[in-house]
Amino acid sequence: MANCITKHIPNTITCCNLISGCIACSESMNAAVTGNYSKVVLWIVIGALFDFCDGLAARLLNAPSSIGKELDSLADVVTFGVAPAFMCYGMLRSIEFPVADALIPYLAFILAAFAAIRLAKFNIDTRQTTSFLGLPVPANAIFWCGFITAITEWGSHSQFYGYAILAGVVVMGLLMTSEIPMFSLKFKSLKWADNKLRFCFLLLSAVLLVFLRIPGGAAVIALYIILSVFSSRKA
């Protein structure tokens, strides 16, 4: 009986990630009216915590499963792909474009499609055990949490920001499905020589988040991409 309950704990946590993503999508529709995306960001962060905990629970309880892997991908698509797409959709709806004004906001959902393709590739790619090929979908969500918050706090509803969002959808989508090597934050040891890149990234990320707060999330992911590209070329 205890083993049966233990086996389902990681999947239950994963479902909490999925529910958090659904709530984030719902809050995105409210934010499209109010212009305040803080609750969306909060629920995406909560989903990310559940995403971290489900894998940790599976390892600690020795309860990995094939269904858990597929369920995790489904939850990640919603929380880190669909929810950010809804954020972009809401922002684009508030911006007036000279042509196809009613249709342009729907381009935001291309982001969700790219996230789904990314996760499908990841599930069948045996090369991504210690590092990543392409941008992980949680990084995509962090970027959009920071970028959309920056626009609402510092920007305006001008066409410039609308085009910036559309460009970001394309760029982030291509990065998620690319073959660009991206380093992982998994530590095998705490030795400086083995983790110089990780330690530097975490330190710089902490500084960016302290000074920029939530908008710093976009800068952190930009830094992650730059360091990944630089380290892969150096290797």
Side-chain angles (χ1 to χ4, degrees):
M1 181 67 177
N3 289 338
C4 183
I5 295 174
T6 299
K7 183 176 68 175
H8 291 293
I9 288 176
N11 290 349
T12 301
I13 297 173
T14 302
C15 287
C16 291
N17 173 15
L18 177 61
I19 293 169
S20 299
C22 291
I23 297 173
C25 292
S26 175
E27 290 293 344
S28 291
M29 301 309 296
N30 295 330
V33 178
T34 64
N36 185 350
Y37 286 83
S38 59
K39 288 185 179 180
V40 184
V41 173
L42 174 62
W43 282 105
I44 289 177
V45 170
I46 291 173
L49 291 174
F50 282 126
D51 184 48
F52 172 79
C53 290
D54 64 3
L56 181 62
R59 289 189 293 271
L60 291 176
L61 299 173
N62 193 26
S65 66
S66 298
I67 191 173
K69 182 179 180 181
E70 301 304 324
L71 184 61
D72 182 66
S73 292
L74 176 60
D76 286 354
V77 167
V78 175
T79 304
F80 308 128
V82 179
F86 265 104
M87 293 176 74
C88 296
Y89 170 76
M91 285 298 299
L92 290 172
R93 281 191 60 184
S94 66
I95 297 171
E96 293 185 5
F97 292 92
V99 293
D101 186 69
L103 297 177
I104 284 178
Y106 292 103
L107 295 176
F109 294 109
I110 293 174
L111 197 64
F114 275 118
I117 294 170
R118 155 71 192 174
L119 287 162
K121 287 179 62 178
F122 179 79
N123 280 355
I124 61 174
D125 194 339
T126 57
R127 297 173 295 171
Q128 302 189 59
T129 54
T130 58
S131 61
F132 302 109
L133 291 176
L135 187 71
V137 288
N140 169 68
I142 293 171
F143 173 82
W144 288 110
C145 285
F147 192 59
I148 297 299
T149 302
I151 292 176
T152 56
E153 289 186 359
W154 306 339
S156 63
H157 296 287
S158 68
Q159 290 178 16
F160 171 80
Y161 292 105
Y163 293 127
I165 291 171
L166 292 173
V169 166
V170 174
V171 171
M172 298 303 286
L174 292 175
L175 284 171
M176 282 192 285
T177 55
S178 72
E179 292 284 310
I180 299 174
M182 301 276 180
F183 66 89
S184 169
L185 291 178
K186 294 180 180 178
F187 288 83
K188 292 184 178 180
S189 71
L190 294 178
K191 295 180 180 179
W192 168 257
D194 297 332
N195 300 287
K196 287 185 288 186
L197 183 63
R198 295 179 180 87
F199 283 132
C200 289
F201 170 71
L202 291 174
L203 178 60
L204 291 172
S205 296
V207 172
L208 288 170
L209 292 173
V210 166
F211 283 98
L212 299 177
R213 298 178 297 167
I214 295 176
V220 166
I221 299 307
L223 175 66
Y224 172 69
I225 295 168
I226 292 169
L227 290 177
S228 293
V229 172
F230 177 77
S231 62
S232 65
R233 287 187 175 181
K234 189 176 180 181

